[in-house]
């Protein structure tokens, strides 16, 4: 991973190069936690803050909150934020070390339509910033990735996808949207 071999690198250092945000992290974050402390917890990859932060860390957190337009939310309780704002705070936490890779695991799964659209616009903006991480997004909803996708991987210029049994119609949508030949395998 990132040119390093497991067993030959300190995984604590490798974790700083890979940010991760999953929808389940929202439920594991304390309702009363303030975004400033949530982002601070990213330095230790912990859920919650268990030590006094260094002044340099606090300054870096305030810069990150400003960079992601979250300054106004810094002292609010996590539970009072909208679902989209919560995801943005968790992305700030995951990117506090400016990782090379940001993995988003079903980031839109609990968002209502307006929050989802706002969050996807935020992600699109994030990808255009200098030094933006490579974003790997895991999703079951193709419309969550359509505006972010820049590369398709497959073999012989053919995209191979496994669809859930109830997603047969998405093959045609992908072929129209990406002008790709798609072969599908139904996974029931």
């Amino acid at each position: 991973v990132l040119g390093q071999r497991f067993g030959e690198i300190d995984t604590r250092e490798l974790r700083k190069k890979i940010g991760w945000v999953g929808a389940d992290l929202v439920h594991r974050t304390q309702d009363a936690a303030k975004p400033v402390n949530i982002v601070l917890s990213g330095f230790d990859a912990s859920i919650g803050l268990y030590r006094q932060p260094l002044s340099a860390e606090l300054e870096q957190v305030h810069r990150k909150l400003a960079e992601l337009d979250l300054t106004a939310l810094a002292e609010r309780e996590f539970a009072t934020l909208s679902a989209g704002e919560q995801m943005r705070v968790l992305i700030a936490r995951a990117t506090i070390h400016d990782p090379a890779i940001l993995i988003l695991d079903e980031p839109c799964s609990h968002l209502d339509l307006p929050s989802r659209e706002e969050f996807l616009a935020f992600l699109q903006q994030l990808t255009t910033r200098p030094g933006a991480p490579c974003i790997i997004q895991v999703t079951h909803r193709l419309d969550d990735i359509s505006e972010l996708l820049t590369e398709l991987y497959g073999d012989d210029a053919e995209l191979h996808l496994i669809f859930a049994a109830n997603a047969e119609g998405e093959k045609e949508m992908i072929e129209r949207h990406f002008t790709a030949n798609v072969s599908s395998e139904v996974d029931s």
Side-chain angles (χ1 to χ4, degrees):
V1 176
L2 296 173
Q4 303 296 319
R5 185 180 216 90
F6 279 106
E8 296 176 6
I9 185 174
D10 183 346
T11 55
R12 293 170 297 188
E13 291 304 311
L14 184 60
R15 275 189 294 188
K16 294 176 183 177
K17 297 177 183 177
I18 303 171
W20 174 83
V21 176
D24 67 316
L25 190 54
V26 170
H27 305 295
R28 294 170 53 199
T29 301
Q30 298 170 352
D31 287 346
K34 295 183 178 178
V36 67
N37 291 335
I38 294 167
V39 178
L40 277 165
S41 74
F43 284 108
D44 299 322
S46 63
I47 306 289
L49 190 59
Y50 299 101
R51 64 175 177 82
Q52 196 70 326
L54 303 172
S55 59
E57 291 173 330
L58 202 49
E59 289 173 18
Q60 187 175 343
V61 165
H62 285 291
R63 281 194 306 274
K64 179 63 72 174
L65 290 170
E67 174 187 332
L68 300 182
D69 301 320
L70 295 168
T71 303
L73 308 178
E75 297 297 329
R76 289 184 43 195
E77 290 188 358
F78 190 69
T80 68
L81 304 178
S82 72
E85 290 168 338
Q86 290 176 341
M87 289 304 294
R88 289 173 49 209
V89 167
L90 294 174
I91 286 178
R93 176 188 176 275
T95 60
I96 194 62
H97 288 292
D98 295 321
I101 299 172
L102 176 60
I103 301 171
L104 303 175
D105 186 5
E106 298 286 351
C108 299
S109 66
H110 66 288
L111 302 180
D112 61 20
L113 187 58
S115 295
R116 183 185 152 278
E117 294 299 322
E118 181 181 312
F119 179 74
L120 291 174
F122 164 76
L123 277 183
Q124 183 67 38
Q125 194 177 47
L126 180 65
T127 63
T128 63
R129 294 180 183 195
C134 169
I135 296 177
I136 299 172
Q137 185 173 347
V138 178
T139 183
H140 288 92
R141 294 177 46 125
L142 294 171
D143 51 337
D144 286 351
I145 62 168
S146 63
E147 295 192 21
L148 298 174
L149 190 64
T150 59
E151 295 181 42
L152 297 175
Y153 293 95
D155 54 14
D156 299 327
E158 190 170 45
L159 180 62
H160 298 274
L161 299 173
I162 297 175
F163 290 103
N166 63 352
E168 278 286 312
E170 291 183 348
K171 176 184 175 193
E172 291 77 23
M173 188 277 295
I174 292 171
E175 287 177 329
R176 280 192 317 273
H177 187 76
F178 296 112
T179 59
N181 294 323
V182 178
S183 64
S184 64
E185 176 182 321
V186 176
D187 181 22
S188 49

